[in-house]
Amino acid sequence: MGGWAIAVHGGAGVDPNLPTQRQEEAKELLTRCLNLGISSLRSSLPAVDVVEFIVRELESNPLFNSGRGSALTAKGTVEMEASIMDGPSRRSGAVSGVTTVKNPISLARLVMDKSPHSYMAFSGAEEFARQQEVELVENEYFITEENLGMLKLAKEAEAILFDYRIPTATLETCSGGTIAVDNSLQMNGLPISIYAPETVGCVVVDSQGRCAAATSTGGLMNKMSGRIGDSPIIGAGTYACNICAVSCTGEGEAIIRGTLARDVAAVMEYKGLNLQEAVDFVIKERLDEGIAGLIAVSRNGEVACGFNSNGMFRGLATENGFMEVAIWE
Amino acid sequence: MGWAIALHGGAGDIPLSVPPERRLPREAALRHCLQIGVAALKAKQSPLDVVELVVRELENNPHFNAGRGSVLTTNGTVEMEACIMDGKTKRCGAVSGLTTVVNPISLARLVMEKTPHIYLAFDGAEAFAREQGVETVDSSHFITPENIERLKQAKEANRVQIDYTQPIQKDVKKETPTPEGDSQIGTVGCVAVNNEGNLAAATSTGGMVNKMVGRIGDTPIIGAGNYANSLCAVSATGKGEAIIRGTVARDVAALMEYKGLSLKEAAAYVIEEGVPRGTAGLVAVSATGEVTMQLNTTGMFRACATEDGYSEIGIWQPVQN
């Protein structure tokens, strides 16, 4: 045992009809991030720096729902949130309601390192960002054409959901025979084709056995302005301690209610489960009817993932040569 | 089995020398809140209703750091947060950054019951409050002279720390109530269980004196300052950053569930080992009607009662551990 390990994710809950090209793009991005992480770890960059670095990469890429490419609020704007946690010290930083900060995860890191607090939000977070002179952009920078389209579909779906019919827009993208399948695949009350997996994240254990976790998101498509999900909530979407680091994704409310990330560590600590057992336990027992996934690493250089959703964008690698990038089971 | 209730008005460095004119109104408030909580449980109100109603009472009382009487941000404004959780269903609601809502805990309950979300903050939360027609007032309503003074002292203490000059005399101004340690006072909360074993927890606060605008503490963080499931309900108070780091409320329940500890053992472990000395206190009840109140600070305003007739009101550390 021992050695470094890294995992990245781009969200749990994937449209089964996702075009092949999109799947390939996603896998390429995950692979690239894994490789960036691996070379950082080989150069002895500490875990907390690696997770920040990788999540910045994911935020800057419009493919997933964080930073650029974030899901949109009901008003058509972007409100981002992120959190980072350093295992050995259990210090953390989190931000919510960030609208002009190019890399929310780096602002979360600054909250942890440069403020007396752990969590800053909305205009206070933006003011802190200005004081810290991080890179700021217009809110439009984060908004993509694709997500504007998704928002429209989400609003239609919300109107139609009460009629218990599938939005006509998605019918065009799937064959008649799969209607029943699509109707049952919902997350957070939206059909999976317009749900947009929520989050990106990275967990790392470096060669000194230090664990760290980072998570970043634009949140739920068509969310109420001011809605906060699980990603900035320490113990829910993100957690790291001496023995492991965890980053979650999926239905935010279920992850919060299940204190998912903390529970992985708690069952290891208090029940003596190993990493994979802990991950499996939490996914099976802590989600009730919720749908989510998570990635985790342990101090011993193990890596694991688990999800009860339809797929999760993920990449995993360990020092002894294991590497896997996948979407489906 | 049987019902049980516990409530707190904040843990911190409550000096033993606190003068009667500051101690007595708070003791009276704790007694009053305990009475109304007990009466509600006896009248078979749900624990969720009970914790909300007790916390509303504490929010309305200007002597505690929640609702009216909230401590001030560095800008001299009020930003309130609250959280409520129903143990049976694990449904929860949280709010942050409120400036005009008279009872933040009730808005948290509405988030839980009237939205598909758990947590709303700042402008979005205020807009939701208006949609729901909850009582709102000008934010000056929440600001008390005591807290204006606390903020002033906190700012002076900060400047002094940077300048390395003589610390401010603590007893210089008779009319100001607050020695520096008192500025750590945080949060109100209530936990309750009925005789069917249903649990609920509610916590509310103005946060930390001189906090940066936009700072969120442990109170609205499920698993940190507030938590309830089918085993226990917990409300914590103290230094927010330490309570978040220690996932205090969740850990009490996790120790019971995963390690089989009793409520008291779990709470004691978390308070003694899970957070640094001087940073936290909590109140908790279990599904079987037990209650515990623990602190590693100088004091915590607290009260509890159980169906078998036990009741207690306290401020400082108990004589025996």
Side-chain angles (χ1 to χ4, degrees):
Chain A
M1 281 301 166
W4 54 256
I6 177 173
V8 300
H9 74 74
V14 186
D15 182 357
N17 298 309
L18 191 68
T20 316
Q21 202 212 346
R22 284 292 301 267
Q23 296 186 40
E24 289 310 311
E25 278 171 9
K27 280 160 65 171
E28 261 169 45
L29 176 56
L30 291 166
T31 306
R32 192 156 58 76
C33 286
L34 265 191
N35 285 326
L36 279 172
I38 290 168
S39 47
S40 311
L41 284 163
R42 287 190 178 136
S43 341
S44 302
L45 200 64
V48 70
D49 291 336
V50 177
V51 298
E52 181 191 355
F53 177 36
I54 299 308
V55 170
R56 282 177 66 95
E57 269 309 298
L58 291 161
E59 284 171 340
S60 305
N61 192 300
L63 193 65
F64 293 126
N65 174 8
S66 70
R68 194 153 165 260
S70 279
L72 305 179
T73 67
K75 300 192 300 196
T77 57
V78 159
E79 282 174 13
M80 300 169 288
E81 44 198 19
S83 64
I84 188 166
M85 191 161 185
D86 172 55
S89 66
R90 283 182 305 152
R91 284 168 56 241
S92 61
V95 292
S96 281
V98 162
T99 53
T100 67
V101 174
K102 190 150 181 251
N103 286 102
I105 195 64
S106 294
L107 189 65
R109 176 91 194 255
L110 287 167
V111 170
M112 177 171 84
D113 288 345
K114 296 281 166 73
S115 87
H117 302 320
S118 299
Y119 188 7
M120 302 277 301
F122 291 89
S123 58
E126 290 278 318
E127 177 55 34
F128 178 66
R130 272 188 287 283
Q131 284 168 17
Q132 294 293 315
E133 295 179 351
V134 299
E135 195 179 351
L136 301 175
V137 292
E138 295 290 319
N139 197 250
E140 284 71 35
Y141 161 85
F142 304 103
I143 300 175
T144 60
E145 281 297 317
E146 190 178 318
N147 280 324
L148 283 168
M150 288 294 199
L151 180 63
K152 195 148 159 290
L153 291 179
K155 285 181 183 286
E156 283 165 14
E158 211 151 280
I160 290 167
L161 266 172
F162 296 110
D163 288 351
Y164 298 96
R165 288 182 293 136
I166 301 172
T168 51
T170 58
L171 278 174
E172 287 156 18
T173 60
C174 63
S175 63
T178 58
I179 289 176
V181 172
D182 278 351
N183 199 21
S184 67
L185 272 182
Q186 285 192 358
M187 280 180 73
N188 266 315
L190 289 172
I192 195 123
S193 51
I194 52 180
Y195 155 76
E198 277 201 68
T199 315
V200 300
C202 181
V203 293
V204 157
V205 56
D206 61 28
S207 44
Q208 316 245 30
R210 297 174 294 206
C211 300
T215 312
S216 178
T217 189
L220 185 60
M221 186 66 76
N222 199 26
K223 65 183 178 180
M224 290 170 75
S225 173
R227 178 263 189 184
I228 292 177
D230 64 294
S231 300
I233 308 293
I234 296 298
T238 300
Y239 188 74
C241 62
N242 260 330
I243 60 178
C244 68
V246 186
S247 171
C248 304
T249 163
E251 294 185 318
E253 281 69 18
I255 293 168
I256 291 175
R257 189 178 299 139
T259 54
L260 226 61
R262 171 62 184 128
D263 269 43
V264 172
V267 297
M268 289 180 76
E269 246 181 289
Y270 302 146
K271 268 171 86 103
L273 299 193
N274 70 31
L275 186 72
Q276 188 67 61
E277 289 169 339
V279 168
D280 293 341
F281 176 87
V282 162
I283 292 290
K284 185 151 174 273
E285 306 290 342
R286 281 290 158 261
L287 281 171
D288 298 334
E289 278 142 33
I291 301 175
L294 61 90
I295 52 175
V297 291
S298 76
R299 168 175 58 194
N300 299 328
E302 301 158 293
V303 71
C305 74
F307 52 96
N308 67 358
S309 50
N310 189 60
M312 178 168 84
F313 293 106
R314 67 210 183 264
L316 291 69
T318 62
E319 189 167 4
N320 61 15
F322 170 73
M323 182 149 159
E324 175 189 87
V325 173
I327 300 177
W328 313 111
E329 289 288 336
Chain B
M1 287 293 257
W3 56 254
I5 179 171
L7 57 104
H8 68 78
D13 195 14
I14 307 170
L16 289 155
S17 57
V18 70
E21 63 267 22
R22 289 181 39 71
R23 178 173 52 87
L24 293 173
R26 281 156 158 176
E27 272 178 12
L30 293 171
R31 191 167 294 117
H32 171 68
C33 288
L34 188 66
Q35 272 164 9
I36 61 177
V38 167
L41 280 168
K42 284 180 170 163
K44 307 274 191 223
Q45 284 196 24
S46 73
L48 199 61
D49 287 341
V50 172
V51 300
E52 183 190 358
L53 103 90
V54 169
V55 169
R56 281 176 67 96
E57 225 20 61
L58 290 161
E59 284 172 340
N60 294 342
N61 189 304
H63 291 109
F64 298 110
N65 175 12
R68 191 154 168 257
S70 282
V71 299
L72 305 179
T73 70
T74 196
N75 285 3
T77 56
V78 151
E79 281 177 7
M80 300 172 287
E81 43 198 18
C83 179
I84 191 165
M85 190 160 185
D86 173 46
K88 191 157 135 196
T89 59
K90 295 212 299 229
R91 285 171 68 227
C92 35
V95 288
S96 281
L98 296 182
T99 52
T100 68
V101 175
V102 173
N103 288 105
I105 195 63
S106 296
L107 192 68
R109 182 145 184 201
L110 288 168
V111 172
M112 175 174 90
E113 291 177 340
K114 297 281 166 74
T115 76
H117 302 319
I118 283 184
Y119 191 5
L120 287 180
F122 291 89
D123 290 352
E126 287 276 323
F128 176 66
R130 271 147 195 81
E131 269 171 51
Q132 293 293 312
V134 301
E135 196 184 349
T136 56
V137 291
D138 185 84
S139 48
S140 57
H141 158 89
F142 304 100
I143 299 176
T144 58
E146 214 173 84
N147 279 310
I148 294 176
E149 187 53 40
R150 276 202 183 99
L151 179 62
K152 189 150 162 281
Q153 292 195 357
K155 283 179 183 276
E156 276 163 16
N158 270 354
R159 188 164 51 240
V160 161
Q161 275 159 22
I162 295 164
D163 288 351
Y164 296 100
T165 54
Q166 192 84 14
I168 296 170
Q169 294 296 341
K170 288 177 187 177
D171 52 0
V172 137
K173 295 168 228 182
K174 272 277 168 70
E175 69 272 23
T176 66
T178 341
E180 193 188 310
D182 202 16
S183 71
Q184 301 297 331
I185 284 291
T187 325
V188 302
C190 181
V191 292
V193 59
N194 65 7
N195 54 19
E196 288 162 28
N198 293 326
L199 293 136
T203 312
S204 179
T205 189
M208 181 188 267
V209 180
N210 201 23
K211 65 182 179 179
M212 291 170 73
V213 168
R215 176 261 190 185
I216 292 176
D218 64 294
T219 294
I221 309 295
I222 302 291
N226 199 68
Y227 187 77
N229 64 5
S230 55
L231 285 176
C232 67
V234 185
S235 171
T237 165
K239 294 208 170 120
E241 285 70 16
I243 294 169
I244 290 175
R245 178 179 307 149
T247 53
V248 167
R250 173 61 186 132
D251 267 37
V252 173
L255 283 161
M256 291 179 74
E257 180 169 359
Y258 299 140
K259 261 195 121 118
L261 298 193
S262 71
L263 181 75
K264 283 188 161 59
E265 289 168 337
Y269 184 87
V270 170
I271 286 295
E272 280 159 34
E273 313 285 341
V275 283
R277 180 154 285 279
T279 60
L282 63 87
V283 298
V285 290
S286 73
T288 53
E290 302 160 287
V291 69
T292 187
M293 306 191 291
Q294 310 230 12
L295 50 147
N296 66 20
T297 49
T298 311
M300 176 172 77
F301 291 105
R302 62 195 185 277
C304 71
T306 57
E307 189 167 9
D308 62 9
Y310 177 75
S311 83
E312 181 189 326
I313 296 182
I315 299 180
W316 293 285
Q317 288 264 5
V319 171
Q320 78 273 15
N321 254 1

